[in-house]
Amino acid sequence: MEQVMKHYGNAILAVIVLLALGAIIVAALSSDGYVAAEFKNALTGFFEKMNVLP
């Protein structure tokens, strides 16, 4: 077990941090709160502006 943690410890930690960050983002966007509305507005505005480009 010690050798596994020594060899893969940083990768395991990185995966745990990314999963936690993803869970926080999904939780923030799943509700119809301020964060979800602003994220939706940002995406909508971005794609509307990209469609205007020639």
Side-chain angles (χ1 to χ4, degrees):
M1 184 68 176
E2 184 179 332
Q3 288 180 346
V4 171
M5 289 305 293
K6 191 181 290 184
H7 193 267
Y8 295 110
N10 291 337
I12 292 170
L13 183 62
V15 169
I16 291 171
V17 168
L18 288 175
L19 286 174
L21 192 60
I24 291 170
I25 291 172
V26 167
L29 294 179
S30 65
S31 64
D32 290 331
Y34 176 76
V35 175
E38 288 302 316
F39 189 74
K40 182 179 175 184
N41 289 341
L43 283 177
T44 305
F46 171 77
F47 286 112
E48 285 175 355
K49 289 178 182 176
M50 292 305 288
N51 284 335
V52 173
L53 294 175

